[in-house]
Amino acid sequence: MILSNYDLFVLSAGAILFGLFLLIKGGDWTIDSAVFIAQRTGLSPLFIGATIISFGTSVPELFTSVNANLQGFPGIALGNVLGSNIANILLVLGATAIVFHIEGKAKDLIKDLGMMLLATAIMVYGMYQGIFSTQLGLVMFGILVCFVFYQFRTDSLDVEIDDHSDDNCPISSMGMALVILFAGLCALALGSEMLVKGAVVTGTLIGVPEAIIGLTVVAFGTSLPELSTCIAAARKHSVGLILGNIIGSNTFNILSIVALTAIIKPLEVTPVLMGMQLWAMGGIAIGFSIWMLTIGKITKPVGIVMVTAYVAFIALQYIVPTGA
């Protein structure tokens, strides 16, 4: 039986809706368990957000990029990472700031922001080399492993953690917290996979080019775990998890996703991504870092500007010719 385009569109729309449901539930479970673990172990929410949550919410990007590269679509793999890093800052943090005031201290953020900027610089370097080789991938992943180990060894055990957990929170033990954390991460990964598959099919049906699909549709879909976990963290007033999640995710996207994808198979750079897409990612990362280290807060008006900028960026991808 051959399905019509209409039937395929309906099925892909259903996958998108079910994926969104899993993302919302997965975000709640992940944040509940992460806050519980942070409170019981003495690790700061910033560390938990920058490691466990960041890696968990980056799993969809990892699966998508590896599969795309193995199937001969490096444009989707790299576009996914570039677009996700842009979406994480402008869309996710912007949308979160609209509903919850985000504020951080420079002394708490400087090492994480520094690593994010280093990862961004490595990304730019690799893009200009024209290929992310297996050797470069190994170096990138090695840097990430060393940084996570450093984070763990230097993370303060005296960080004050806001206790705004729900009274109805079902978590009562560390074992239960770990189970719920695993279930939450699985829901995030599955939900994102379904959403991305549905979005890609929808994009293909309307004739959207591969590179633009990776940069916009796929990147948006794989950034939804960050959005759902940040919104959940905002409801629980855990600013450390919000900032740690975004900064860590952007670092993980480059030093784990691009690195592991290149280790499995050298990742060739698609020329269409060498224009404003690459420089937008770098400029946004630098601007965000400077803003947080000087101003230190993202208010509702700033959040509105950020989301508007993201919408404008996405619109430009379909308006301005790519040359590909």
Side-chain angles (χ1 to χ4, degrees), residues 156-213:
S156 173
L157 298 181
D158 298 321
V159 175
E160 182 178 348
I161 302 173
D162 294 333
D163 186 6
H164 287 87
S165 56
D166 297 335
D167 293 335
N168 296 324
C169 179
I171 302 177
S172 59
S173 67
M174 183 62 72
M176 182 181 292
L178 293 174
V179 170
I180 293 177
L181 175 63
F182 179 76
L185 294 178
C186 287
L188 288 170
L190 178 60
S192 290
E193 177 70 9
M194 293 194 66
L195 185 140
V196 169
K197 291 296 185 184
V200 169
V201 170
T202 302
T204 301
L205 289 174
I206 62 177
V208 178
E210 168 208 332
I212 301 303
I213 289 177

Side-chain angles (χ1 to χ4, degrees), residues 33-51:
S33 56
V35 170
F36 182 90
I37 292 171
Q39 291 172 332
R40 293 302 183 274
T41 61
L43 295 175
S44 70
L46 185 62
F47 174 79
I48 296 292
T51 54

Side-chain angles (χ1 to χ4, degrees), residues 239-290:
V239 179
L241 280 174
I242 296 172
L243 292 173
N245 181 26
I246 294 304
I247 298 171
S249 290
N250 279 19
T251 301
F252 271 78
N253 282 350
I254 297 172
L255 297 183
S256 68
I257 294 172
V258 174
L260 291 174
T261 302
I263 290 171
I264 295 173
K265 177 186 176 182
L267 182 57
E268 296 183 4
V269 175
T270 304
V272 71
L273 298 174
M274 294 297 295
M276 67 173 176
Q277 295 85 0
L278 176 61
W279 293 110
M281 182 205 68
I284 290 168
I286 294 172
F288 168 67
S289 299
I290 293 174

Side-chain angles (χ1 to χ4, degrees), residues 1-43:
M1 177 181 178
I2 300 178
L3 297 177
S4 66
N5 285 349
Y6 174 77
D7 293 329
L8 288 174
F9 183 82
V10 171
L11 289 174
S12 63
I16 290 174
L17 291 176
F18 187 59
L20 286 172
F21 170 77
L22 289 177
L23 287 171
I24 294 172
K25 295 304 295 182
D28 282 337
W29 295 339
T30 303
I31 293 301
D32 281 339
S33 56
V35 170
F36 182 90
I37 292 171
Q39 291 172 332
R40 293 302 183 274
T41 61
L43 295 175

Side-chain angles (χ1 to χ4, degrees), residues 116-185:
M116 183 186 73
L117 291 177
L118 174 61
T120 302
I122 294 174
M123 183 72 174
V124 173
Y125 168 79
M127 295 285 286
Y128 270 92
Q129 291 299 304
I131 188 171
F132 288 86
S133 64
T134 299
Q135 292 77 10
L136 179 57
L138 288 169
V139 170
M140 293 167 66
F141 192 70
I143 292 174
L144 178 64
V145 171
C146 291
F147 180 67
V148 171
F149 180 74
Y150 168 78
Q151 284 274 63
F152 178 77
R153 292 295 300 271
T154 60
D155 188 66
S156 173
L157 298 181
D158 298 321
V159 175
E160 182 178 348
I161 302 173
D162 294 333
D163 186 6
H164 287 87
S165 56
D166 297 335
D167 293 335
N168 296 324
C169 179
I171 302 177
S172 59
S173 67
M174 183 62 72
M176 182 181 292
L178 293 174
V179 170
I180 293 177
L181 175 63
F182 179 76
L185 294 178

